[in-house]
């Protein structure tokens, strides 16, 4: 199984910055931020399932454009997996025939370009031997993280989250955990903003990671453009023992 980083920045601001999107093999997306826009038409058409962590724009912005670009080229609908509250937000605020067409009814309700599949926290979806499980996180809106399990190893992606014990308990229980990709949106001088927007800053992340005994590789994602170097330097100090690495667009993991 191959996991490729299409985008992992906490915003835009340059030709190298792309918001969150991960591609699992050729056919699954985890989030659909602006990183999706670098895929070719053929690569876009190969996407069959999209798992969303939450409905914030930096994680869904390119989903409407993806469906529009390749809906007619696909033989079966694109399936969008997410908690019911996230799907409801998409229906109400994006695919509402005002911002964007309701592609769950186009070209016809019986043979639509996309379909919604609600996913409960803790629920696992198995697609071609790959198991994707929604994990509890704590953000300002309904959100989940995901465990991606090849059968041999698991990678965990936090999506957007601030402190909360449920996520760490769920990660601790993963016996084949290989890596954790966790967000850290802000540097420590913006700790108050991190707390109110329910993101991590380095000291909050270090406090949370103290709850995780299980060893694993640690990758940092969702750094704010312009503040990324500073934030990573702070993380390197407070989490030195875990040898954190910065996630980067183009990285590919085989597991
Ligand atoms: Zn968010
Ligand atoms: Zn975000």
């Amino acid at each position: 199984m191959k996991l490729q980083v299409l985008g992992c920045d906490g915003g835009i601001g340059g030709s190298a910055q792309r918001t969150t999107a991960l591609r699992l093999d050729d056919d699954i997306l985890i989030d659909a931020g602006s990183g999706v826009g670098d895929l070719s038409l053929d690569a876009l058409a190969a996407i069959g399932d999209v798992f969303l962590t939450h409905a914030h724009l930096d994680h869904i912005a390119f989903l409407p454009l993806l469906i529009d670009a390749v809906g007619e080229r696909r033989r079966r609908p694109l399936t969008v997996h997410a908690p019911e509250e996230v799907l409801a937000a998409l229906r109400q605020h994006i695919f509402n025939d005002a911002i964007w067409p309701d592609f769950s009814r186009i070209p016809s309700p019986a043979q639509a370009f996309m379909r919604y599949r609600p996913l409960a926290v803790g629920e696992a979806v198995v697609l071609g031997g790959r198991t994707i499980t929604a994990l509890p996180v704590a953000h300002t809106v309904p959100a989940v993280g995901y465990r991606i399990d090849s059968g041999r190893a698991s990678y965990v992606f936090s999506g957007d989250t601030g402190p909360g014990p449920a996520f760490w308990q769920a990660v601790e229980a993963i016996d084949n955990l290989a890596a954790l990709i966790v967000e850290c949106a802000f540097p420590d001088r913006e700790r108050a903003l991190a707390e109110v927007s329910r993101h991590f800053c380095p000291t909050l992340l270090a406090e949370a990671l103290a709850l995780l005994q299980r060893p694993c590789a640690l990758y940092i994602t969702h750094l704010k453009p312009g503040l990324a170097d500073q934030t990573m330097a702070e993380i390197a100090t407070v989490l030195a023992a875990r040898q954190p690495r910065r996630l980067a667009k183009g990285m590919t993991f085989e597991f």
Side-chain angles (χ1 to χ4, degrees):
M1 185 162 82
K2 191 172 77 176
L3 183 67
Q4 180 188 11
V5 181
L6 303 178
C8 58
D9 294 295
I12 62 169
S15 59
Q17 314 294 329
R18 298 288 187 273
T19 71
T20 304
L22 306 174
R23 184 169 65 155
L24 186 56
D25 295 326
D26 294 331
D27 57 331
I28 297 174
L29 287 180
I30 311 287
D31 280 342
S34 68
V36 172
D38 294 324
L39 294 175
S40 69
L41 267 181
D42 285 345
L44 291 171
I47 303 296
D49 294 86
V50 180
F51 290 78
L52 299 175
T53 58
H54 64 303
H56 274 161
L57 198 60
D58 54 320
H59 299 254
I60 64 142
F62 277 51
L63 177 63
L65 299 170
L66 161 65
I67 295 164
D68 181 55
V70 296
E72 284 178 315
R73 293 163 62 114
R74 294 179 42 75
R75 265 187 249 108
R76 67 179 184 90
L78 183 84
T79 303
V80 179
H81 307 257
E84 180 58 48
E85 301 94 321
V86 175
L87 299 179
L90 290 180
R91 280 193 203 95
Q92 184 177 355
H93 301 296
I94 303 289
F95 297 101
N96 57 6
D97 289 327
I99 298 296
W100 208 242
D102 179 2
F103 280 110
S104 70
R105 304 177 62 81
I106 291 175
S108 70
Q111 290 189 316
F113 286 167
M114 67 180 284
R115 65 183 172 191
Y116 299 107
R117 188 193 181 286
L119 185 61
V121 172
E123 187 179 349
V125 176
V126 182
L127 295 170
R130 302 155 298 183
T131 305
I132 299 164
T133 307
L135 304 179
V137 299
H139 198 33
T140 51
V141 293
V144 293
Y146 286 109
R147 171 188 181 181
I148 305 157
D149 186 359
S150 68
R152 291 183 294 277
S154 287
Y155 272 52
V156 167
F157 172 56
S158 72
D160 287 8
T161 187
F167 176 71
W168 303 99
Q169 289 163 5
V171 177
E172 185 69 51
I174 298 173
D175 54 10
N176 66 353
L177 180 69
L180 169 61
I181 301 170
V182 66
E183 73 123 283
C184 192
F186 296 108
D188 272 331
R189 69 176 155 86
E190 295 191 4
R191 177 171 172 140
L193 184 56
E195 286 175 338
V196 74
S197 62
R198 304 193 87 174
H199 282 290
F200 278 120
C201 64
T203 50
L204 284 173
L205 182 59
E207 290 165 17
L209 268 164
L211 301 174
L212 184 67
Q213 304 299 314
R214 194 177 283 281
C216 63
L218 181 64
Y219 293 92
I220 307 298
T221 186
H222 210 286
L223 298 155
K224 281 279 178 209
L227 300 171
D229 290 343
Q230 180 191 348
T231 307
M232 278 309 300
E234 292 172 1
I235 289 171
T237 300
V238 296
L239 283 165
R242 287 199 178 257
Q243 298 182 294
R245 279 166 280 183
R246 179 176 176 173
L247 198 70
K249 175 174 153 57
M251 277 184 172
T252 297
F253 305 98
E254 302 245 14
F255 57 100

